[in-house]
Every structure is written in C-alpha cells, then in structure tokens.
Coordinates of all heavy atoms in Angstrom, one line a residue:
S28 N 0.8 -1.2 0.0 CA 0.0 0.0 0.0 C 0.9 1.3 0.0 O 0.5 2.2 -0.7 CB -0.9 0.0 1.2 OG -2.0 -0.9 1.1
L29 N 1.9 1.2 0.8 CA 2.8 2.4 0.9 C 3.5 2.7 -0.5 O 3.6 3.9 -0.9 CB 3.8 2.3 2.0 CG 4.7 3.5 2.3 CD1 3.8 4.8 2.6 CD2 5.6 3.3 3.5
I30 N 4.0 1.7 -1.1 CA 4.6 1.8 -2.4 C 3.6 2.5 -3.4 O 3.9 3.4 -4.2 CB 5.1 0.5 -3.0 CG1 6.3 0.0 -2.2 CG2 5.5 0.6 -4.5 CD1 6.8 -1.4 -2.5
K31 N 2.4 1.9 -3.5 CA 1.3 2.5 -4.4 C 1.1 4.0 -4.1 O 0.9 4.7 -5.0 CB 0.0 1.7 -4.2 CG 0.0 0.3 -4.7 CD -1.3 -0.3 -4.4 CE -1.4 -1.8 -4.8 NZ -2.7 -2.4 -4.5
A32 N 1.1 4.3 -2.8 CA 0.9 5.7 -2.5 C 2.0 6.6 -2.8 O 1.9 7.7 -3.4 CB 0.5 5.8 -1.0
M33 N 3.2 6.2 -2.4 CA 4.4 7.1 -2.5 C 4.9 7.2 -4.0 O 5.5 8.3 -4.3 CB 5.5 6.6 -1.6 CG 5.3 6.8 -0.1 SD 5.2 8.6 0.3 CE 6.9 9.1 0.0
C34 N 4.6 6.3 -4.8 CA 5.1 6.4 -6.2 C 4.3 7.4 -7.0 O 4.7 7.7 -8.1 CB 5.1 5.0 -6.9 SG 3.5 4.4 -7.3
R35 N 3.3 8.0 -6.4 CA 2.5 9.0 -7.0 C 3.1 10.4 -6.8 O 2.7 11.4 -7.4 CB 1.0 9.0 -6.5 CG 0.3 7.7 -6.7 CD -0.9 7.6 -5.9 NE -2.0 8.3 -6.4 CZ -3.2 8.4 -5.8 NH1 -3.4 7.8 -4.6 NH2 -4.2 9.2 -6.3
Y36 N 4.1 10.5 -6.0 CA 4.7 11.8 -5.7 C 6.0 11.9 -6.5 O 6.5 11.0 -7.1 CB 5.0 11.9 -4.2 CG 3.7 12.0 -3.4 CD1 3.2 10.8 -2.8 CD2 3.0 13.2 -3.3 CE1 2.0 10.9 -2.1 CE2 1.8 13.2 -2.6 CZ 1.3 12.1 -2.0 OH 0.1 12.2 -1.3
K37 N 6.6 13.1 -6.5 CA 7.7 13.4 -7.3 C 9.1 13.0 -6.8 O 9.4 13.2 -5.6 CB 7.8 15.0 -7.5 CG 6.6 15.6 -8.2 CD 6.7 17.1 -8.3 CE 5.5 17.7 -9.0 NZ 5.6 19.2 -9.0
N38 N 9.8 12.3 -7.7 CA 11.2 12.0 -7.4 C 11.4 11.2 -6.1 O 12.3 11.4 -5.3 CB 12.1 13.3 -7.3 CG 13.6 13.0 -7.4 OD1 14.0 12.0 -8.1 ND2 14.4 13.8 -6.7
V39 N 10.5 10.2 -5.9 CA 10.7 9.3 -4.8 C 11.4 8.1 -5.2 O 11.1 7.5 -6.3 CB 9.3 8.9 -4.2 CG1 9.5 7.9 -3.1 CG2 8.6 10.1 -3.7
R40 N 12.5 7.7 -4.5 CA 13.3 6.5 -4.8 C 13.1 5.5 -3.8 O 13.1 5.7 -2.6 CB 14.8 6.9 -4.9 CG 15.7 5.8 -5.2 CD 17.2 6.3 -5.3 NE 18.1 5.2 -5.6 CZ 18.9 4.7 -4.6 NH1 18.9 5.2 -3.4 NH2 19.7 3.7 -4.9
F41 N 12.9 4.2 -4.3 CA 12.6 3.1 -3.4 C 13.8 2.2 -3.3 O 14.4 1.8 -4.3 CB 11.4 2.3 -3.9 CG 10.1 3.1 -3.9 CD1 9.7 3.8 -5.0 CD2 9.3 3.1 -2.8 CE1 8.5 4.5 -5.0 CE2 8.1 3.8 -2.8 CZ 7.7 4.6 -3.9
V42 N 14.2 1.8 -2.1 CA 15.2 0.8 -1.8 C 14.5 -0.3 -1.1 O 14.0 -0.2 0.0 CB 16.3 1.4 -0.9 CG1 17.4 0.3 -0.7 CG2 16.9 2.7 -1.6
L43 N 14.4 -1.5 -1.8 CA 13.7 -2.6 -1.4 C 14.6 -3.6 -0.8 O 15.4 -4.3 -1.5 CB 12.9 -3.2 -2.6 CG 12.0 -2.2 -3.3 CD1 11.4 -2.8 -4.6 CD2 10.9 -1.6 -2.4
I44 N 14.6 -3.8 0.5 CA 15.6 -4.6 1.2 C 14.9 -5.8 1.8 O 14.1 -5.8 2.7 CB 16.2 -3.8 2.4 CG1 16.6 -2.4 2.0 CG2 17.3 -4.5 3.1 CD1 16.8 -1.4 3.1
S45 N 15.3 -7.0 1.2 CA 14.7 -8.3 1.7 C 15.5 -9.4 1.1 O 16.3 -9.3 0.2 CB 13.3 -8.4 1.1 OG 13.3 -8.6 -0.3
P46 N 15.3 -10.6 1.7 CA 15.8 -11.8 1.1 C 15.2 -12.0 -0.2 O 14.0 -11.6 -0.4 CB 15.5 -13.0 2.1 CG 15.0 -12.3 3.3 CD 14.5 -10.9 3.0
K47 N 15.8 -12.8 -1.1 CA 15.2 -13.0 -2.5 C 13.8 -13.6 -2.4 O 12.9 -13.3 -3.1 CB 16.1 -13.9 -3.3 CG 17.3 -13.1 -3.8 CD 18.2 -14.0 -4.8 CE 19.4 -13.2 -5.3 NZ 20.2 -14.0 -6.2
E48 N 13.7 -14.5 -1.4 CA 12.4 -15.2 -1.2 C 11.3 -14.3 -0.8 O 10.1 -14.7 -0.9 CB 12.6 -16.4 -0.3 CG 13.5 -17.5 -0.7 CD 14.9 -17.2 -0.2 OE1 15.3 -16.0 0.1 OE2 15.7 -18.2 -0.2
L49 N 11.6 -13.2 -0.2 CA 10.6 -12.3 0.3 C 10.5 -10.9 -0.4 O 10.1 -9.9 0.1 CB 10.8 -12.1 1.8 CG 10.6 -13.3 2.7 CD1 10.9 -13.0 4.1 CD2 9.2 -13.9 2.5
Q50 N 11.0 -10.9 -1.7 CA 11.0 -9.7 -2.4 C 9.5 -9.3 -2.8 O 8.6 -10.2 -2.7 CB 11.8 -9.8 -3.7 CG 13.3 -9.9 -3.5 CD 14.1 -10.0 -4.8 OE1 13.5 -10.4 -5.8 NE2 15.4 -9.7 -4.7
V51 N 9.3 -8.1 -3.1 CA 7.9 -7.6 -3.5 C 7.4 -8.5 -4.6 O 8.1 -9.0 -5.5 CB 7.9 -6.1 -3.9 CG1 8.2 -5.2 -2.7 CG2 8.8 -5.9 -5.1
P52 N 6.1 -8.7 -4.6 CA 5.5 -9.5 -5.7 C 5.7 -8.9 -7.1 O 5.9 -7.6 -7.2 CB 4.0 -9.5 -5.4 CG 3.9 -9.2 -3.9 CD 5.1 -8.3 -3.6
D53 N 5.7 -9.7 -8.1 CA 6.0 -9.2 -9.4 C 5.1 -8.0 -9.8 O 5.4 -7.1 -10.5 CB 5.9 -10.3 -10.5 CG 7.0 -11.3 -10.3 OD1 8.1 -10.9 -9.7 OD2 6.9 -12.4 -10.8
Y54 N 3.8 -8.1 -9.4 CA 2.8 -7.1 -9.8 C 3.2 -5.7 -9.3 O 2.8 -4.7 -9.9 CB 1.4 -7.5 -9.5 CG 0.9 -7.1 -8.1 CD1 0.3 -5.8 -7.9 CD2 1.1 -7.9 -7.0 CE1 -0.1 -5.4 -6.6 CE2 0.7 -7.5 -5.7 CZ 0.1 -6.3 -5.5 OH -0.3 -5.9 -4.3
I55 N 3.8 -5.7 -8.1 CA 4.2 -4.4 -7.6 C 5.3 -3.7 -8.5 O 5.3 -2.5 -8.7 CB 4.8 -4.5 -6.2 CG1 3.7 -4.9 -5.2 CG2 5.5 -3.2 -5.7 CD1 2.7 -3.8 -4.9
I56 N 6.1 -4.5 -9.1 CA 7.2 -4.0 -10.0 C 6.5 -3.7 -11.4 O 6.7 -2.5 -11.9 CB 8.3 -5.1 -10.3 CG1 9.0 -5.4 -8.9 CG2 9.3 -4.6 -11.3 CD1 9.7 -4.3 -8.3
T57 N 5.8 -4.6 -11.9 CA 5.2 -4.4 -13.3 C 4.0 -3.5 -13.4 O 3.8 -2.8 -14.4 CB 4.9 -5.8 -13.9 OG1 3.9 -6.4 -13.1 CG2 6.1 -6.7 -14.0
D58 N 3.2 -3.5 -12.3 CA 1.9 -2.7 -12.4 C 2.0 -1.4 -11.6 O 1.1 -0.6 -11.8 CB 0.8 -3.6 -11.9 CG 0.5 -4.8 -12.7 OD1 1.1 -4.9 -13.8 OD2 -0.2 -5.7 -12.2
V59 N 3.0 -1.3 -10.8 CA 3.0 -0.1 -9.9 C 4.3 0.7 -10.1 O 4.2 1.9 -10.6 CB 2.9 -0.5 -8.4 CG1 2.9 0.8 -7.5 CG2 1.6 -1.3 -8.2
L60 N 5.4 0.1 -9.8 CA 6.7 0.9 -9.9 C 7.1 1.3 -11.3 O 7.3 2.5 -11.6 CB 7.8 0.1 -9.2 CG 7.7 0.1 -7.7 CD1 8.7 -0.9 -7.1 CD2 8.0 1.5 -7.1
E61 N 7.1 0.3 -12.2 CA 7.6 0.6 -13.6 C 6.6 1.6 -14.3 O 7.1 2.6 -14.9 CB 7.8 -0.7 -14.3 CG 9.0 -1.4 -13.8 CD 9.3 -2.7 -14.6 OE1 8.4 -3.1 -15.4 OE2 10.3 -3.3 -14.3
P62 N 5.3 1.5 -14.2 CA 4.5 2.4 -14.9 C 4.6 3.8 -14.3 O 4.4 4.8 -15.0 CB 3.0 1.9 -14.7 CG 3.2 0.4 -14.5 CD 4.5 0.3 -13.7
S63 N 4.9 3.9 -13.0 CA 5.0 5.3 -12.4 C 6.3 6.0 -12.8 O 6.4 7.2 -12.6 CB 5.0 5.1 -10.9 OG 6.2 4.6 -10.4
G64 N 7.3 5.2 -13.2 CA 8.6 5.8 -13.5 C 9.5 6.0 -12.3 O 10.6 6.6 -12.5
A65 N 9.0 5.6 -11.2 CA 9.8 5.7 -10.0 C 11.1 4.9 -10.0 O 11.1 3.7 -10.5 CB 9.0 5.4 -8.7
K66 N 12.2 5.4 -9.5 CA 13.4 4.6 -9.4 C 13.4 3.7 -8.2 O 12.9 4.0 -7.2 CB 14.6 5.6 -9.3 CG 14.8 6.5 -10.5 CD 16.0 7.4 -10.3 CE 16.2 8.3 -11.5 NZ 17.4 9.2 -11.3
Y67 N 13.9 2.5 -8.4 CA 13.9 1.5 -7.3 C 15.1 0.6 -7.5 O 15.6 0.3 -8.6 CB 12.6 0.7 -7.3 CG 12.5 -0.3 -8.5 CD1 12.9 -1.6 -8.4 CD2 11.9 0.1 -9.7 CE1 12.8 -2.5 -9.4 CE2 11.8 -0.8 -10.7 CZ 12.2 -2.1 -10.6 OH 12.1 -2.9 -11.6
V68 N 15.6 0.0 -6.4 CA 16.6 -1.0 -6.4 C 16.2 -2.1 -5.4 O 15.5 -1.8 -4.4 CB 18.0 -0.5 -6.0 CG1 18.5 0.4 -7.1 CG2 18.0 0.2 -4.7
Q69 N 16.6 -3.3 -5.7 CA 16.3 -4.4 -4.8 C 17.6 -4.9 -4.2 O 18.5 -5.3 -5.0 CB 15.5 -5.6 -5.5 CG 14.2 -5.1 -6.0 CD 13.4 -6.3 -6.5 OE1 12.7 -7.0 -5.7 NE2 13.4 -6.5 -7.8
V70 N 17.8 -4.9 -2.9 CA 19.1 -5.3 -2.3 C 18.8 -6.3 -1.2 O 17.7 -6.4 -0.7 CB 19.8 -4.1 -1.8 CG1 20.1 -3.1 -2.9 CG2 19.1 -3.4 -0.7
E71 N 19.9 -7.0 -0.7 CA 19.8 -7.9 0.4 C 20.6 -7.5 1.6 O 20.7 -8.2 2.6 CB 20.2 -9.3 -0.1 CG 19.3 -9.9 -1.2 CD 19.8 -11.3 -1.6 OE1 19.8 -12.2 -0.8 OE2 20.1 -11.5 -2.8
N72 N 21.2 -6.3 1.5 CA 22.1 -5.8 2.6 C 21.6 -4.5 3.1 O 21.6 -3.5 2.3 CB 23.5 -5.8 2.1 CG 24.5 -5.4 3.2 OD1 24.5 -4.3 3.7 ND2 25.3 -6.4 3.7
M73 N 21.2 -4.4 4.3 CA 20.7 -3.2 4.9 C 21.8 -2.1 5.1 O 21.6 -0.9 4.8 CB 20.0 -3.4 6.3 CG 19.4 -2.2 6.9 SD 19.0 -2.5 8.7 CE 17.9 -3.9 8.6
E74 N 22.9 -2.6 5.7 CA 24.0 -1.6 6.0 C 24.5 -0.9 4.8 O 24.8 0.3 4.9 CB 25.1 -2.4 6.7 CG 24.8 -2.9 8.1 CD 24.3 -4.4 8.0 OE1 23.6 -4.7 7.1 OE2 24.7 -5.1 8.9
A75 N 24.6 -1.5 3.7 CA 25.2 -0.9 2.5 C 24.4 0.3 2.0 O 24.9 1.2 1.5 CB 25.3 -1.9 1.4

C-alpha cells in the first residue's frame, strides 16, 4: 500500500531490502513501480 501511495509523488526513490524469497510480488514491479517511472533497487544488505 505504501509503495502504491508514494510512487504518485515526485522523485521518490525506493530501496527494497529483503531476502530474495521475500521480495515484493512481481505485480508491484510491473503494475505499480515501472508504470510510475519511480526509481527502485532491490538489495539484500541493509547496512550498504
């Protein structure tokens, strides 16, 4: 829900931190983030 809301605002960048098995569902990427044009990265290390 928060990704859907925040990607409607200007120049918001998402850093998605999780194990591979618990990454966001594909529809969040294909139906929400990519159509919005928001920048995002998926990582497995919080400290970095």
Side-chain angles (χ1 to χ4, degrees):
S28 286
L29 186 55
I30 291 173
K31 289 179 185 178
M33 287 296 292
C34 73
R35 299 164 78 185
Y36 294 97
K37 297 177 183 177
N38 196 31
V39 176
R40 179 173 178 260
F41 296 90
V42 181
L43 308 173
I44 312 163
S45 71
K47 285 184 178 179
E48 296 89 341
L49 295 178
Q50 289 180 341
V51 293
D53 290 343
Y54 88 90
I55 292 292
I56 301 294
T57 60
D58 298 348
V59 181
L60 285 170
E61 290 181 349
S63 75
K66 295 179 180 178
Y67 70 93
V68 293
Q69 298 188 82
V70 301
E71 297 181 57
N72 184 289
M73 182 196 302
E74 293 92 322

